[in-house]
Amino acid sequence: MVDMSNVKLRIENIVASVDLFTELNLEKVIEICPNSKYNPEEFPGIICRFDEPKVALLIFSSGKLVVTGAKSVDDIKRAVNKLIMMLKKIGAKFHREPQIDIQNMVFSGDIGMEFNLDAVALSLPNCEYEPEQFPGVIYRVKEPRAVILLFSSGKIVCSGAKSEDDAWEAVRKLLRELEKYGLIEEEDEEW
């Protein structure tokens, strides 16, 4: 079994879609949103930036939002609650809790060992490697759905996961495949 104790993952970005279940008058909303931009000819929503938590929100008249730049799910919840408090001040009515759906999480990490990417690309299924175009192997995990970029240094980027558990499971699957094809040494320890 692969030893996961050396593997490190850190959340870099979370993107969520949110439904507030209420229509919004964007002309009113822009007046209460600091650090924001609204040009309906260019884009049909308000682009609003919060410093705390540090996120960007796309706010649409339908009451739907996209929140990006968050480093935790809690950051997303805090940003949505902050916006709701601001919207209540201009008379927006809320009849139910907002629905928050995580669309994508991006993690950076380190597997803690180096790799010969030519050997990885020749052995591993579900991967692409074109070193003239990109210096890493692109490995696709079907379930949970994620894409892992693996670099020769052992550094990784995992994208497309919908949760931290999914990201860890995707990395586990990559490591099992690397072990199966003899690209990393087997460990005696259980993980």
Side-chain angles (χ1 to χ4, degrees):
M1 287 283 179
V2 175
D3 178 12
M4 293 286 287
S5 64
N6 294 337
V7 179
K8 295 174 180 59
L9 283 182
R10 184 177 83 201
I11 297 172
E12 296 296 337
N13 183 28
I14 303 174
V15 178
S17 59
V18 180
D19 194 341
L20 298 177
F21 301 105
T22 191
E23 298 282 318
L24 299 173
N25 177 341
L26 296 185
E27 297 296 338
K28 279 183 167 181
V29 174
I30 191 70
E31 292 173 15
I32 57 148
C33 280
N35 304 320
S36 54
K37 186 173 121 181
Y38 181 47
N39 184 344
E41 292 82 39
E42 233 178 77
F43 184 72
I46 294 172
I47 301 166
C48 176
R49 297 183 194 289
F50 286 166
D51 289 330
E52 186 49 45
K54 192 166 178 57
V55 299
L57 300 96
L58 304 178
I59 306 167
F60 299 96
S61 60
S62 62
K64 292 193 171 23
L65 318 171
V66 175
V67 183
T68 186
K71 300 282 189 185
S72 70
V73 174
D74 189 55
D75 281 354
I76 290 170
K77 290 177 183 171
R78 289 188 308 131
V80 169
N81 288 333
K82 181 177 181 175
L83 180 65
I84 287 171
M85 298 311 280
M86 293 165 65
L87 293 171
K88 283 180 177 177
K89 290 179 184 168
I90 59 165
K93 302 279 186 235
F94 300 92
H95 305 290
R96 60 184 277 196
E97 290 290 310
Q99 180 178 326
I100 299 172
D101 294 311
I102 304 302
Q103 298 300 323
N104 184 24
M105 296 180 81
V106 179
F107 297 80
S108 64
D110 194 341
I111 291 178
M113 62 187 83
E114 294 186 354
F115 293 93
N116 174 338
L117 295 185
D118 289 314
V120 170
L122 288 170
S123 305
L124 222 54
N126 304 321
C127 76
E128 300 168 36
Y129 182 49
E130 296 186 37
E132 308 80 35
Q133 293 181 11
F134 185 72
V137 167
I138 302 167
Y139 178 71
R140 298 183 192 287
V141 181
K142 287 189 172 82
E143 189 58 43
R145 194 167 173 171
V147 175
I148 299 174
L149 308 177
L150 172 65
F151 299 93
S152 60
S153 63
K155 301 268 192 256
I156 58 172
V157 173
C158 178
S159 179
K162 302 254 183 178
S163 70
E164 195 162 353
D165 287 345
D166 283 358
W168 280 104
E169 181 58 27
V171 171
R172 247 183 236 106
K173 285 187 174 183
L174 168 64
L175 291 177
R176 281 190 202 118
E177 288 288 294
L178 291 168
E179 182 182 85
K180 178 174 151 184
Y181 291 101
L183 298 163
I184 56 177
E185 303 299 313
E186 288 194 36
E187 299 276 337
D188 291 334
E189 300 172 34
E190 283 293 315
W191 54 278

